[in-house]
Structures are given as structure tokens and as C-alpha cells.
Amino acid sequence: MIETVFKTDDLPVADRVDAWREKLSRIHAPVDLVCHPGSDFRTQQRVVRLGSALVWPSVWSPQTVRRTPRLIGRSDPEMVHLSLIIKGSVGFRMGGPDALYGPYELRTNDSSRPYEILMGPRGEVVDAVSVDVPRARLPLSSDDLDRVIGRRMTGQEGVGALLAAFLTTLVDNARSYTAADAPRLETVLLDLLAAVFANGLDAMDRLPAESRRRTLTLRIQAFIRDHLHDPGLTPTAIAAAHHISTSHLHRLFQDRETTVSGWIRQLRLERAREQLADPARSDVPVHLVAVRAGFEHHPVFTRAFRSAYGMSPRDYRRRALLQETGTDRQTTVDSASTRRRPLTGG
């Protein structure tokens, strides 16, 4: 997937503010930029394009971004912006009382209204993941968007947590995706953005049925991952937790190559495999690895693991750890042998 990188450190000091202002203005809408007096102005940004949407992780030194009525009158691309704050604090003004946002809160604005954003008002560096998307790409009415944009929302629970997890995973693994993945990722992003906004209005029923279905599937998948350790994680329990029937749950998984139970088993085996290959967990007994992955009966785990990976869990761990430390161990053995030769040769 195409990813572009911008760093003010790559530019002469005198050119940094103007270059960053131009970059922001191209991504979202024309803005004014003010560097805090006495600060060392630095910013870096990566941009991942998903169709009409842009996702961009960034690191900011203290600075102020303003969109004024004059700039709106000059150009309004009707873009919606959302930022997930990862580190630091962000002050915000947009037609209401001043607000201060902290880690894992979601801050929003749009290009049609004046606003002022204070990055690092306490003098700290701000780390964030932002999204810019055309207003018309969101399946909510203009009135609904006007009502919800600017409200404080959280990225720590509910659909906000789903969006936060999606954004952080996307930017951490951007290089592993290809251009062919962009349409699917864009659909997921737009569904989650719309769900966050609709949830803020307590109006999930206003989303299109297909968007609600995809969002519900994402919620269920996240629920399953969070509860893999629970041996009581069954289709019946999952359906009950999401207030749907088991038949509805199975229909949501119809486009997958496995059943709900099969997907749970697959995830549990993958989790166990990762733990068995981790040198930091080499002293954890295999049966405890199985329990932590959600397998209640060790013989069942061993049979399933052997079927999936062609060897027992113990053999897999032994081979993985040898591959991890084999070179170091061989070097140690060779060194020890060399030291012993004068003694044995005498």
C-alpha cells in the first residue's frame, strides 16, 4: 500500500512551518498554523490512502491550527476529521466551550466550521492517528453529522474502541497491505466512523442495514478475541452477549471459510502457537499455555494442535526455541569445545 512520509527535520528550519501548513491544507482544508514562541517546531507524519479516506499517524510539537471564516469562504472541500489521541493533550474550540482531550479520546471537526486546535497546550509532544474523509462518504444525514461532530467521544470502549484498534493496527501494519486491500479497509473504516457517530447520537438504527451488519460482525470478532481464554465461549454465549439469536450469529459468519466454533478454535490454536514460540514464556508448562488459550482439556488441545501444525505442542516449542537460539547455542558449544581441546590433547 502506498504510504507517504513527511518530516520537518528533513527541511531547513526557516521552511518548516510553511511546508507543514501546506501539507495540512492539502489533506483536510486550508488552515493557518501558529508555532508557539520559543518552541522547537517539529512534526512528522505518515499518510496511508484508502480510496477517498486518508489515515495519518503524526507526532506534533506544540502548535496551533486554525480554520477561520475567511479560509472557509475561500475553499470548503466538506471534509470530516477525526483524531485518536495516543499521547499528550489537545485543546479544542469549535462553536462551544473550550475542551481538552487526552489519550484515547476521539476529537472531531469538519472543514465547514471555524475551529482552533491547540496541540500540546502544556508544552508536551502529541502523538495521534487522524482520519480525513469526505462528508458525503458517511451514511448519515448532514443534520446528524452537524449534531455529533465536535462532541467528546471515547476510544476506550464500545465502537470507539473498535475504531481505535482498527486505526492503530492499520498504521502499525501499513506496509504489509497492498493496493488490493484498500477498498476493503476503506469500507471497514467508513463503517466504524459512521457507527461511532451514530452511537454518539444514540441512533444506530439510522445506519444502513449492511453497515450495521458489518459493524456487528466486527464487534463480535473483537468480543471473541477478548474472551478466547474462557472455555465457556460458545456460539450460544456469544449470541446472548450481543442480544441476537444463534442462527443470526451463524448467518454473520456465512462468508467465512469456517464456522463460528471453527474460527474460535483456529484463533485459540494461533494464540497457543505464539506463546509456545515465545522465549519469554519458555518456562510456562504446555498445559497452562493450553488453558490460557481457552482449551479446557489438554488431550483435546494436543490433538487439535497436531492436526493444525503437524506436530505436538512440545515438539513445536522445542523446534521454535532451537530456531530462536540455535546460533547462539552453537557458538557457545564451539567456544567451549575450543577451550577444552588443550586439556584433552595433553
Side-chain angles (χ1 to χ4, degrees), residues 88-282:
S89 61
V90 177
F92 182 59
R93 303 182 181 120
M94 191 181 74
D98 293 356
L100 185 67
Y101 290 78
Y104 280 82
E105 290 191 296
L106 303 173
R107 188 199 60 75
T108 58
N109 59 264
D110 71 77
S111 63
S112 303
R113 286 184 277 181
Y115 58 76
E116 183 175 68
I117 305 169
L118 291 79
M119 307 300 294
R122 298 165 177 162
E124 74 274 34
V125 170
V126 175
D127 190 347
V129 181
S130 299
V131 178
D132 279 276
V133 62
R135 190 181 181 99
R137 294 288 285 130
L138 294 168
L140 289 167
S141 71
S142 182
D143 287 344
D144 282 342
L145 289 174
D146 286 341
R147 288 170 52 212
V148 73
I149 291 174
R151 288 190 184 184
R152 184 183 299 274
M153 292 177 282
T154 180
Q156 298 190 65
E157 58 185 25
V159 289
L162 286 179
L163 176 60
F166 173 80
L167 291 175
T168 53
T169 301
L170 174 69
V171 299
D172 287 346
N173 299 283
R175 294 181 181 178
S176 68
Y177 298 115
T178 67
D181 295 313
R184 175 181 60 84
L185 294 171
E186 181 191 23
T187 297
V188 174
L189 175 60
L190 293 174
D191 282 340
L192 289 174
L193 282 172
V196 165
F197 292 147
N199 186 67
L201 295 168
D202 195 22
M204 294 293 285
D205 58 337
R206 298 185 194 178
L207 295 176
E210 186 62 18
S211 181
R212 292 200 306 271
R213 185 191 71 82
R214 289 192 296 257
T215 302
L216 175 59
T217 302
L218 291 172
R219 289 176 57 197
I220 290 171
Q221 290 172 351
F223 178 87
I224 289 173
R225 290 188 179 95
D226 289 342
H227 293 81
L228 278 180
H229 62 281
D230 182 1
L233 185 69
T234 64
T236 300
I238 296 166
H242 292 84
H243 310 290
I244 60 176
S245 66
T246 53
S247 59
H248 187 178
L249 174 65
H250 290 303
R251 285 197 299 272
L252 292 174
F253 276 70
Q254 280 180 346
D255 58 348
R256 305 189 69 89
E257 296 179 357
T258 184
T259 62
V260 178
S261 297
W263 193 61
I264 294 171
R265 186 182 305 109
Q266 177 185 331
L267 291 180
R268 284 173 167 165
L269 287 170
E270 289 175 358
R271 178 169 293 184
R273 181 178 61 83
E274 291 172 359
Q275 293 187 5
L276 289 169
D278 185 356
R281 295 185 172 95
S282 61

